[in-house]
Amino acid sequence: MDTVDVLVVGAGLAGLTTARLLAQAGLDVAVCERRTSVGTGIRTTGIFVRRTLDDYDLPHLGPAVRRVLLYPPSLREPVELVSERDEFRVGDMENIYAAAVRDAERAGARVNLDSSYPARSTQARFTIGADGARSTVAKNLGLDVNRRLITGIEEVYPVRTGSTPTFHCVVDPRLAPGYIAWVVDDGEHAHVGLAGRPDRFSAPLPQLLQRFRDSFPTPEPAGPVRRRGGPIPVGGLLRRIVSPEGLLVGDAAGAVSPLTAGGLDPCMRMSELAASVTFDYLRSGNRYVLEHYDGAAMRRRYLLRSQLRRGLSLVRGPGLAEAAFALLRTSPGRAAARRILFT
């Protein structure tokens, strides 16, 4: 039996970041990942926002995106928002994950691929669940689990458009009920996808994605098309995300914006807090240290976006979406959109 200080379950960005930080602090850390390669089964869109770009030095990022176009179901008269700053960059997640594995291993963590959880051969003082929206660790530790989920699908491929990098967002409940369809064309790669409430989809996701591609002028592939997708938690940060036996990070903790479904920035920041709390707890044995990882307290920052998420879920038909765009085209509407997308 291999005994370690910390077992991190899941080799996504949240798990690998937490593992690296804990190993750098001197703890014995092992990562178990059921996939045979971190470059397969990717579920994130890889869209990094300005806050992340300002605070973290990330490799393998595409060109900056400053322009956003918001479309109603008719696709007529889109609302254009242009920032003076670099608002988004889309990461090459295969290479970002590979670099994160190397960094974790250099710090001293052992990353075990094709390794299932619970791991019979490994015993840990503390377990960190970074195993996604439907976390097995959360269930085994008796912590909260995600209940509100949307499901997404995306195609990623190289392009040679040479156009101004643009993030296209389409609000159409017939294609993406309760969320959006999107095309991110940064001039080098195109990300074409949609997501929504699975109980309201009118057809299988691949058919809806093809319908979207047929209706929207998406760039033509200049190379192989890769498809990704999966569940996305949108209920906000879970309340019970820590116990004396372990804690949750990333999607497993519901650390995803309830409105935009962006999870990479909260994942990076939460991983730092998780590593700090875990190290202090294992070093001191003081259970009160775990109170600093209180999901209920951290939920407050998501309150407004949770309310807006409920409002978006109420848009069930194209007529209501078109009416909402009449408000979005006003000065207050555009200001609200800028605040949501550019902060």
Side-chain angles (χ1 to χ4, degrees), residues 125-129 141 143 241-248 281 290:
R125 296 170 59 195
F126 201 73
T127 300
I128 292 180
L141 296 184
L143 300 174
I241 55 175
V242 64
S243 78
E245 289 75 41
L247 57 77
L248 308 175
Y281 171 62
L290 301 177

Side-chain angles (χ1 to χ4, degrees), residues 130-251:
D131 52 338
R134 296 191 176 104
S135 171
T136 301
V137 174
K139 297 173 185 176
N140 287 353
L141 296 184
L143 300 174
D144 285 350
V145 296
N146 292 295
R147 303 292 184 188
R148 296 180 183 175
L149 301 166
I150 59 176
T151 303
I153 186 173
E154 182 182 67
E155 291 180 344
V156 183
Y157 49 83
V159 295
R160 299 191 184 95
T161 60
S163 57
T164 300
T166 301
F167 192 162
H168 305 267
C169 302
V170 180
V171 180
D172 188 343
R174 297 167 299 184
L175 290 171
Y179 194 54
I180 62 169
W182 65 87
V183 176
V184 183
D185 176 4
D186 64 11
E188 294 182 358
H189 287 83
H191 290 243
V192 182
L194 59 84
R197 289 184 46 166
D199 59 323
R200 293 188 190 171
F201 284 132
S202 59
L205 276 177
Q207 292 184 23
L208 291 173
L209 185 61
Q210 184 59 51
R211 190 181 303 171
F212 175 50
R213 287 180 58 92
D214 291 342
S215 65
F216 194 87
T218 58
E220 289 299 319
V225 177
R226 292 163 291 169
R227 181 173 287 179
R228 58 181 61 162
I232 308 166
V234 291
L237 193 66
L238 300 174
R239 287 182 170 83
R240 292 188 304 118
I241 55 175
V242 64
S243 78
E245 289 75 41
L247 57 77
L248 308 175
V249 292
D251 283 10

